[in-house]
Amino acid sequence: RLVESSALSVNESALTGESLPVAKQVAAMRDASALVARHNMVYAGTGVAGGRALAAVVGIGMDTELGRIARLVEETHKTRTPLQEQLTRLARVLTVLIILLVAVLFFIGSVLGRSLVEMFEISVALAVAAIPEGLVLSVTVILAIGMQRILHRHGLVRRLVAAETLGSVSVICSDKTGTITQGEKRVTHLFTPAQQWRHPFVLGEEPGTAMRRLLEIMALNNDAVQPLGDAAVQGSPTERALLQAVLEVGLDVKTLAFKLPRVWHLPFDSAHKYMVTAHAAGKHAEAFLKGAPDIVLPMCSKILSDGQSVSLTVANRAQWQERIVSLSRQGIRVLAVAMRIVDATTPALGREQLHGFTFVGIVGLRDPLREQVREQIARAREAGIRTVMVTGDHPETARAIAVEAGIEVAQGSVVVGDELDQWSDEELQRRVAHTSVFARVEPRHKIRIVKAWQARGEIVAMTGDGVNDAPARKAADVGVAVGSGTEVAKQASDLVILDNNLG
């Protein structure tokens, strides 16, 4: 439990499926049953994305969230595969037929006057001969060949019978972050009053004054660093994505930082949701601001248009607000960017002095889809397999990603974990067929969803890459982990996709 916190953000995707780092604070909470809503708690198995904190340990071992998931995995029993069920039924039928045949033969022999010893020997010999001893060997060889063919398509089968069950799957319950999406933030949209760029950015298009300014602010109002050599950009996920986008466009970040050195800054704070840096520029300094649009826009009185700062009218504000809302509904995280000229000799501005900025533009970020995911979901649909998204992410984000991936999302077919808690198992079995997206769900919810589909007679595959999916993968008929997932995910799976390609 947090005791002190300064701009702390934590990546909890392994536990919750939330693709974005979660801002943490010390304030007590009255009611926070959902894991993603507990902003004053940090958990084992998660990573700090930024900031500092002091926390008191209130749970260890099996009392942690990881421990609870481990208990769920331990208590969840693996279901029998269709092949195992069919072989069991075949064994029962053969057993009954052999017993009847032996009994009839024994009776006929006794009636014909044969000795009981002779008839017993004949009956035993017939019973042994009727048992198909080669069936087990034949099935094993066939499954082994199937495993080998799956391996040629970059799939590692960890459980022999899963090679057969894979062909019987009728429903795929898939996690979002790291499975349908890449699990990495990327800048997808750049908007200024005069230009609109979308990823992949067209390098042949010359950036205008406002677009160049936007890129410069993205590079300088940023604590991410670019190491020497071919090492990846280091920093928080958001700032890594911003710096990577600037580098993709071809801006010389090191030269820019040398020309405009930072003189002071106000770090990002989860309570204020913005970051300010000031950079020496000759006789004056330039203050750069980035943060949540609903916080940044009220600080702006002007807008950068055609290289000039002009008044930011009510109509302009409404247009930008509409654009921001539209992007947010598509599951895109939006940052607003602004600038202001300040006196180079004055000390750092206080938070109460942050006004009079010139609005420059907005940046859209999202966790992009994996390559070929849309095609793979369409091919599964053609094969009669339904794909359902089961994620811990925000409902609107989940809906937007599902629609982009090609999952059919009807009105009212997005259900959150709190609603699941109010449904009985029978009601869930009835409603699950009409639900395409489950959002804000926890590991216990995922198990219920898998079992609800199984209760309807479906063969279910559960795919994912995180610790939170492990219990559901074990409960599913086929548990599938992507190669880039956690070791826990792989150990709880029947199949590991080595190249992360779900097709």
Side-chain angles (χ1 to χ4, degrees), residues 10-251:
V10 179
N11 184 349
E12 298 181 343
S13 60
L15 289 181
T16 65
E18 177 72 57
S19 58
L20 300 177
V22 180
K24 297 290 184 176
Q25 52 185 311
V26 178
M29 302 190 68
R30 292 184 178 179
D31 182 19
S33 57
L35 188 64
V36 293
R38 301 174 197 166
H39 59 65
N40 60 354
M41 298 292 294
V42 289
Y43 306 102
T46 62
V48 173
R52 297 177 299 162
L54 178 67
V57 176
V58 296
I60 61 173
M62 298 303 286
D63 292 328
T64 64
E65 291 302 322
L66 274 180
R68 292 187 177 94
I69 292 175
R71 187 180 292 111
L72 272 176
V73 173
E74 184 179 352
E75 293 174 351
T76 301
H77 300 291
K78 192 67 183 176
T79 58
R80 296 170 66 88
T81 69
L83 178 62
Q84 289 174 319
E85 293 289 351
Q86 292 171 6
L87 289 177
T88 300
R89 287 196 294 270
L90 176 62
R92 289 171 180 168
V93 171
L94 288 178
T95 300
V96 172
L97 289 177
I98 291 172
I99 291 175
L100 290 176
L101 182 60
V102 169
V104 170
L105 181 64
F106 192 90
F107 175 76
I108 293 175
S110 301
V111 171
L112 295 176
R114 297 296 184 97
S115 69
L116 295 179
V117 174
E118 181 184 5
M119 291 311 304
F120 176 77
E121 292 175 347
I122 294 175
S123 299
V124 170
L126 179 61
V128 172
I131 296 174
E133 297 94 340
L135 179 61
V136 175
L137 179 60
S138 300
V139 170
T140 302
V141 170
I142 292 170
L143 292 178
I145 293 173
M147 290 176 63
Q148 187 179 36
R149 291 183 177 179
I150 292 173
L151 183 60
H152 288 160
R153 301 190 64 175
H154 308 288
L156 177 63
V157 178
R158 300 184 65 256
R159 188 164 169 251
L160 187 63
V161 292
E164 183 274 339
T165 311
L166 197 60
S168 304
V169 169
S170 57
V171 174
I172 299 175
C173 294
S174 178
D175 182 36
K176 179 185 79 67
T177 305
T179 306
I180 290 179
T181 64
Q182 297 179 13
E184 284 284 341
K185 280 188 184 178
R186 176 187 294 167
V187 174
T188 56
H189 296 75
L190 296 173
F191 286 96
T192 66
Q195 285 183 298
Q196 301 179 10
W197 282 7
R198 298 173 186 268
H199 191 276
F201 304 120
V202 181
L203 301 183
E205 182 181 356
E206 189 68 24
T209 303
M211 183 61 74
R212 179 169 290 278
R213 209 58 174 146
L214 178 64
L215 293 169
E216 291 174 351
I217 296 173
M218 289 166 56
L220 296 174
N221 186 282
N222 197 321
D223 288 332
V225 294
Q226 181 188 13
L228 298 175
D230 297 329
V233 174
Q234 297 177 358
S236 70
T238 298
E239 298 198 326
R240 282 203 316 267
L242 294 176
L243 185 55
Q244 190 63 47
V246 173
L247 294 173
E248 286 180 17
V249 173
L251 197 65

Side-chain angles (χ1 to χ4, degrees), residues 266-276 289-301 312 317 321 324 333-338 351-359 361-362:
L266 291 175
F268 176 85
D269 188 305
S270 59
H272 297 94
K273 299 181 180 179
Y274 61 80
M275 174 180 177
V276 183
L289 167 68
K290 80 167 188 287
D294 58 329
I295 303 296
V296 172
L297 271 175
M299 297 180 182
C300 299
S301 58
L312 181 60
R317 289 181 187 273
Q321 287 284 9
I324 290 166
R333 184 190 179 192
V334 181
L335 294 177
V337 175
R351 296 192 184 275
E352 68 282 353
Q353 298 173 293
L354 297 179
H355 53 77
F357 280 85
T358 298
F359 181 76
I362 60 175

Side-chain angles (χ1 to χ4, degrees), residues 17-19 174 176-177 180-181 328-332 366 369 389-405 407 409 414-416 436-441:
E18 177 72 57
S19 58
S174 178
K176 179 185 79 67
T177 305
I180 290 179
T181 64
S328 299
R329 286 175 177 169
Q330 299 173 43
I332 298 171
R366 75 178 307 176
L369 292 179
M389 181 185 290
V390 185
T391 178
D393 223 327
H394 190 278
E396 288 302 321
T397 301
R399 178 196 294 272
I401 294 295
V403 171
E404 184 180 357
I407 298 175
V409 185
V414 178
V415 175
V416 297
S436 300
V437 178
F438 294 89
R440 287 290 192 232
V441 294

Side-chain angles (χ1 to χ4, degrees), residues 13-15 45-46 66 69 158 175 177-179 370 464-471 473 480-493 495-496 500:
S13 60
L15 289 181
T46 62
L66 274 180
I69 292 175
R158 300 184 65 256
D175 182 36
T177 305
T179 306
R370 286 190 182 276
D465 69 330
V467 177
N468 59 329
D469 304 313
R473 274 195 299 272
V480 182
V482 294
S484 60
T486 61
E487 189 62 28
V488 174
K490 297 173 185 176
Q491 292 296 328
S493 299
L495 174 68
V496 179
N500 299 331

Side-chain angles (χ1 to χ4, degrees), residues 332-450:
I332 298 171
R333 184 190 179 192
V334 181
L335 294 177
V337 175
M339 59 174 288
R340 171 184 165 186
I341 304 298
V342 296
D343 191 342
T345 61
T346 60
L349 297 176
R351 296 192 184 275
E352 68 282 353
Q353 298 173 293
L354 297 179
H355 53 77
F357 280 85
T358 298
F359 181 76
V360 178
I362 60 175
V363 182
L365 303 97
R366 75 178 307 176
D367 182 6
L369 292 179
R370 286 190 182 276
E371 296 181 7
Q372 301 178 339
V373 160
R374 187 177 181 87
E375 177 188 350
Q376 291 154 3
I377 291 176
R379 289 171 58 190
R381 187 186 304 114
E382 292 174 0
I385 302 172
R386 179 173 177 180
T387 303
V388 178
M389 181 185 290
V390 185
T391 178
D393 223 327
H394 190 278
E396 288 302 321
T397 301
R399 178 196 294 272
I401 294 295
V403 171
E404 184 180 357
I407 298 175
E408 297 179 359
V409 185
Q411 188 68 27
S413 63
V414 178
V415 175
V416 297
D418 290 341
E419 293 180 67
L420 288 180
D421 289 332
Q422 301 172 10
W423 294 352
S424 65
D425 291 342
E426 292 73 18
E427 186 173 6
L428 178 57
Q429 292 172 22
R430 179 172 56 84
R431 296 197 181 194
V432 73
H434 308 290
T435 305
S436 300
V437 178
F438 294 89
R440 287 290 192 232
V441 294
E442 299 180 17
R444 57 190 175 88
H445 296 136
K446 295 184 178 184
I447 292 180
R448 289 190 63 202
I449 293 167
V450 168

